[in-house]
């Protein structure tokens, strides 16, 4: 079975540019999470969807960040405009909402570098 | 507020040594879940174990064992007879029982096992 698929794996962009990260969760999973990992702040939950509906977006840093889940098999995280401090690895994870608590399946991450 | 502290940022051992990774947590909840995840060099986080706050029994899975002590708010992870393939970053995490999939991660411990 395919795991969580993220694209792009690596993105280098210049400050001010728009960045879109994509995620395809595991088929059948109805919860989706976006996490950000940096050396300074570790792993931070940005936003959590359940059945395509955003449940908790309190971790989204500011208005420059937005996330959507138009259907059960696709989600995007957009940063516009990007800034150097957004450089991080962004992880998407999925799980069954009614499954085993906390058993998240992570993608391999999208490493973003903003120059 | 919930908090997970992994005081050891980096540990280096020689193959076949035993190693214990420490995890201390803070929560006001009486019921909660604790987790360990492994992040190998490939980047994706891999679920290892979940423990709920009512179950203080230690668990052993092959060379891995976990010691949950509610009295000291600790959930330590021991690898017996370490192998080079155990080299990874290990994360301890915590969630509320009514939000089992929303994890608060510790800062991680990088384990390097040398041949």
């Amino acid at each position: 079975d395919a795991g969580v698929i993220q694209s792009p794996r690596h993105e280098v962009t210049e400050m001010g540019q728009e960045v879109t990260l994509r995620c395809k969760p595991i088929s059948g999973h109805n919860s989706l999470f976006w996490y950000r990992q940096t050396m300074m702040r570790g792993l931070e939950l940005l936003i959590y969807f359940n059945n395509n509906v955003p449940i908790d977006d309190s971790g989204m840093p500011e208005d420059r960040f937005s996330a959507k889940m138009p259907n059960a098999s696709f989600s995007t995280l957009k940063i516009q405009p990007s800034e150097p401090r957004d450089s991080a690895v962004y992880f998407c994870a999925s799980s069954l909402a009614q499954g085993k608590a906390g058993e998240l399946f992570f993608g391999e991450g999208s490493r973003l570098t903003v120059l | 507020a919930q908090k997970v502290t992994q005081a050891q940022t980096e540990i280096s051992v020689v193959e076949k040594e035993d190693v214990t990774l420490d995890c201390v947590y803070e929560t006001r909840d009486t019921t909660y879940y604790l987790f360990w995840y492994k992040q190998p060099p490939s980047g994706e986080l891999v679920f290892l174990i979940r423990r709920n706050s009512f179950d203080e029994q230690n668990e052993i899975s092959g060379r891995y064992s976990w010691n949950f002590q509610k009295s000291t708010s600790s959930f330590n992870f021991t690898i017996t007879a370490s192998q080079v393939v155990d080299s990874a970053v290990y994360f301890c995490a915590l969630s509320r029982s009514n939000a089992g999939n929303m994890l608060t991660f510790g800062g991680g411990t990088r384990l390097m096992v040398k041949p």
Side-chain angles (χ1 to χ4, degrees), chain B residues 7-113:
Chain B
Q8 306 148 309
T9 54
E10 201 166 287
I11 301 176
S12 181
V13 298
V14 176
E15 206 169 20
K16 297 184 184 176
E17 285 185 12
D18 298 348
V19 59
T20 295
L21 311 181
D22 297 333
C23 173
V24 174
Y25 62 92
E26 296 174 31
T27 181
R28 294 180 182 173
D29 295 339
T30 55
T31 59
Y32 48 88
Y33 292 101
L34 293 162
F35 309 86
W36 277 94
Y37 275 78
K38 175 181 180 179
Q39 186 177 35
S42 53
E44 79 283 9
L45 280 82
V46 178
F47 170 85
L48 293 179
I49 190 173
R50 170 186 50 254
R51 174 65 76 228
N52 78 49
S53 53
F54 289 117
D55 184 0
E56 288 193 69
Q57 274 197 326
N58 292 333
E59 181 156 340
I60 297 175
S61 176
R63 295 183 298 105
Y64 294 173
S65 62
W66 291 270
N67 183 346
F68 174 31
Q69 294 204 349
K70 213 166 177 178
S71 60
T72 57
S73 298
S74 65
F75 186 43
N76 296 338
F77 173 28
T78 297
I79 302 174
T80 302
S82 59
Q83 299 176 2
V84 173
V85 292
D86 296 327
S87 298
V89 181
Y90 291 87
F91 290 93
C92 182
L94 169 70
S95 75
R96 312 184 78 168
S97 64
N98 62 350
N101 284 337
M102 289 184 62
L103 306 183
T104 298
F105 283 91
T109 297
R110 180 178 298 278
L111 174 64
M112 292 177 289
V113 182

Side-chain angles (χ1 to χ4, degrees), chain A residues 14-66:
Chain A
E14 293 189 346
M15 184 173 64
Q17 296 297 306
E18 177 179 297
V19 173
T20 299
L21 308 179
R22 298 173 179 80
C23 175
K24 177 178 169 53
I26 291 174
S27 178
H29 282 188
N30 51 1
S31 292
L32 184 138
F33 307 80
W34 281 101
Y35 278 88
R36 178 172 68 177
Q37 184 177 33
T38 62
M39 289 292 291
M40 291 297 294
R41 301 174 69 90
L43 274 161
E44 303 172 278
L45 176 64
L46 300 178
I47 187 168
Y48 159 38
F49 291 87
N50 197 32
N51 293 321
N52 311 338
V53 176
I55 302 300
D56 190 323
D57 65 354
S58 58
M60 295 286 265
E62 47 198 274
D63 292 346
R64 297 184 298 106
F65 285 69
S66 62

